[in-house]
Amino acid sequence: DYGTGGGAIAKTVAEKLNFSFWDQELIQAIAANTGIGESLLRSLDEHSRNTIEDIISGVLMGRGGTEVEYVSQLYRIIHTIEKHGSGVIVGRGAQFVLKSEHSLKVKIVADFPRRVSWVMQREKLDRKEAEKKIRKIDKDRNDFHLRYYYKDANNPVYYDLIINAEGLPH
């Protein structure tokens, strides 16, 4: 969940296990493979556009500028990481893409007030801004998962392990 420090936890796990780490690196890999600018890819990353926005983007920027192409590239790269093994992938619906019985799908959670507090501290936002940001990112991510994977990422059945970050140092 946004605000739990899941990315930092994942990076620490990757370092301790000597695994590759994939978060923003996924966007960089897609940019390198497609020639699409990272700023455009960041606008597609775990966001859900409406059909009209995606069509307009496709007309203006070609197929590479569409959300569908982004997700297609995301699938390809996640499967490549899976084949090579020893990687930690943060978000982007990887829990729905990975098929290997050798993968461990982990969700990091914390209650909303705690996440607000952490985001306020980490991003120097006031309470209202932090709450708004968390709600927007949570909604964007959920819409993205529903649109492309037809799954609710908040359903615990999609994870092997759920960690409550409230007891972890931040």
Side-chain angles (χ1 to χ4, degrees):
D1 291 339
Y2 184 75
T4 60
I9 293 167
K11 187 170 183 83
T12 300
V13 168
E15 289 169 356
K16 297 274 185 198
L17 296 174
N18 200 28
F19 281 13
S20 61
F21 177 73
W22 299 88
D23 188 0
Q24 294 303 311
E25 294 78 0
L26 286 169
I27 294 171
Q28 294 163 355
I30 293 171
N33 288 337
T34 63
I36 300 168
E38 283 186 42
S39 61
L40 172 60
L41 292 172
R42 286 187 208 296
S43 76
L44 299 172
D45 188 38
E46 292 188 310
H47 296 85
S48 188
R49 289 180 173 173
N50 67 42
T51 305
I52 299 298
E53 289 173 318
D54 215 35
I55 290 170
I56 291 170
S57 182
V59 168
L60 294 176
M61 303 170 118
R63 185 177 150 198
T66 67
E67 198 173 65
V68 171
E69 180 60 18
Y70 167 75
V71 172
S72 172
Q73 290 294 323
L74 196 56
Y75 264 82
R76 193 179 61 68
I77 290 172
I78 289 172
H79 282 302
T80 300
I81 294 166
E82 180 179 31
K83 285 178 191 167
H84 290 291
S86 302
V88 175
I89 303 170
V90 176
R92 287 144 188 103
Q95 72 272 33
F96 306 126
V97 178
L98 296 169
K99 301 297 182 206
S100 171
E101 66 274 3
H102 301 292
S103 66
L104 179 66
K105 298 164 185 139
V106 179
K107 182 172 180 72
I108 310 293
V109 299
D111 72 3
F112 189 75
R114 188 74 50 112
R115 293 191 300 149
V116 169
S117 175
W118 289 335
V119 169
M120 287 171 58
Q121 181 180 14
R122 188 171 53 242
E123 300 182 30
K124 309 293 188 241
L125 299 175
D126 67 31
R127 181 166 305 283
K128 190 172 186 172
E129 291 170 321
E131 288 173 352
K132 182 178 177 183
K133 183 171 187 174
I134 291 168
R135 284 190 179 101
K136 179 177 182 350
I137 291 173
D138 284 351
K139 182 181 181 329
D140 284 350
R141 287 178 176 176
N142 196 48
D143 289 351
F144 180 84
H145 292 129
L146 288 171
R147 181 171 182 168
Y148 289 102
Y149 304 113
Y150 308 105
K151 308 233 189 279
D152 178 359
N154 294 311
N155 188 334
V157 302
Y158 298 119
Y159 304 93
D160 302 309
L161 179 65
I162 297 176
I163 298 172
N164 186 338
E166 291 182 36
L168 301 176
H170 274 83

